[in-house]
Amino acid sequence: MFVFKKDIPLQDLGDGVSRRVLAHDGSMMAVEVYFEEGAVGPMHNHVHEQLTYVLSGRFKFTIGEETHEVSAGDTLYKKPYIMHGCVCLEKGVLLDTFTPQRMDFL
């Protein structure tokens, strides 16, 4: 499967957050998430395993009981059902990979 960024619309989620769902199939999905400075990814959990790679910007992330500041090149792992969320400290983009894919994003 080939997915070209120019062919995928950016979805405005409101409050300074938008996303672009990239390649996906039954067992895996890649998603770019764009944050304006000060935007919040509220605390939540889900059944999916999730890897987050910080492409740009700076974020304060909470995963479970731990909170750390992360920036470009850092990677985060979120096991299923763990509470997690973030605050964007400097405008940036995250690359999220989910398994299985997030049907609620389609």
Side-chain angles (χ1 to χ4, degrees):
M1 170 188 287
F2 290 89
V3 176
F4 300 98
K5 185 174 182 173
K6 66 179 177 55
D7 297 333
I8 305 169
L10 192 61
Q11 302 169 318
D12 184 355
L13 304 178
D15 298 319
V17 181
S18 55
R19 77 172 163 231
R20 180 176 281 120
V21 176
L22 305 171
H24 58 89
D25 201 356
S27 63
M28 188 178 293
M29 170 184 271
V31 179
E32 287 179 335
V33 187
Y34 297 77
F35 286 83
E36 295 296 326
E37 186 173 319
V40 174
M43 293 295 289
H44 66 286
N45 68 51
H46 42 73
V47 65
H48 313 84
E49 281 185 279
Q50 179 180 353
L51 284 176
T52 298
Y53 180 77
V54 183
L55 292 170
S56 63
R58 214 166 35 90
F59 299 82
K60 182 169 73 171
F61 257 95
T62 299
I63 302 173
E65 300 298 316
E66 285 189 70
T67 300
H68 294 279
E69 191 173 306
V70 297
S71 58
D74 293 333
T75 307
L76 303 85
Y77 170 75
K78 297 141 196 160
K79 65 184 178 183
Y81 300 109
I82 195 161
M83 291 297 293
H84 59 280
C86 69
V87 175
C88 182
L89 304 174
E90 177 184 299
K91 181 178 178 175
V93 181
L94 304 175
L95 177 62
D96 284 330
T97 304
F98 297 97
T99 184
Q101 68 178 327
R102 296 282 306 257
M103 296 305 292
D104 55 323
F105 285 11
L106 300 176

